[in-house]
Amino acid sequence: MFIDKDKTAREDGLMHLNTDPNLSRPDDFYEALIDAHRGLSDDQSRDVNCKLVLLLANHIGDMDVLRDALEIARKGHEPGQAT
């Protein structure tokens, strides 16, 4: 995985995964995310999460960035490991 320490463009000119805080109004996003799940069953809530991930992945569109995100998201959740 190659991510610039200063979170600017990568040497190869491709996008990079920005892990720095980047939401101008994070509390508003969190509230909207909770509202999107309000009143849903567990299965419906999982469907909303899956659709959201796919929509955002499509928006990003860069497979290297998506692989970086998947790798970071999975850390600490290896098979057989308690969460």
Side-chain angles (χ1 to χ4, degrees), residues 29-52:
F29 172 72
Y30 183 74
E31 183 178 346
L33 182 61
I34 296 303
D35 286 346
H37 291 270
R38 194 173 318 282
L40 300 180
S41 70
D42 287 348
D43 286 342
Q44 291 171 322
S45 185
R46 280 188 288 275
D47 282 349
V48 167
N49 281 337
C50 288
K51 288 177 184 178
L52 180 59

Side-chain angles (χ1 to χ4, degrees), residues 20-78:
D20 289 335
N22 195 36
L23 291 171
S24 61
R25 296 169 30 201
D27 291 339
D28 290 348
F29 172 72
Y30 183 74
E31 183 178 346
L33 182 61
I34 296 303
D35 286 346
H37 291 270
R38 194 173 318 282
L40 300 180
S41 70
D42 287 348
D43 286 342
Q44 291 171 322
S45 185
R46 280 188 288 275
D47 282 349
V48 167
N49 281 337
C50 288
K51 288 177 184 178
L52 180 59
V53 166
L54 293 173
L55 287 166
L56 294 174
N58 183 67
H59 178 76
I60 292 166
D62 184 295
M63 195 60 202
D64 290 333
V65 172
L66 295 170
R67 282 190 180 106
D68 288 348
L70 288 166
E71 182 179 325
I72 290 169
R74 187 176 166 119
K75 282 185 182 174
H77 299 285
E78 299 305 321

Side-chain angles (χ1 to χ4, degrees), residues 2-27:
F2 179 82
I3 300 177
D4 248 74
K5 67 177 173 116
D6 64 358
K7 306 294 187 265
T8 58
R10 291 173 18 157
E11 292 169 0
D12 56 12
L14 298 175
M15 291 175 52
H16 61 86
L17 180 64
N18 180 4
T19 58
D20 289 335
N22 195 36
L23 291 171
S24 61
R25 296 169 30 201
D27 291 339

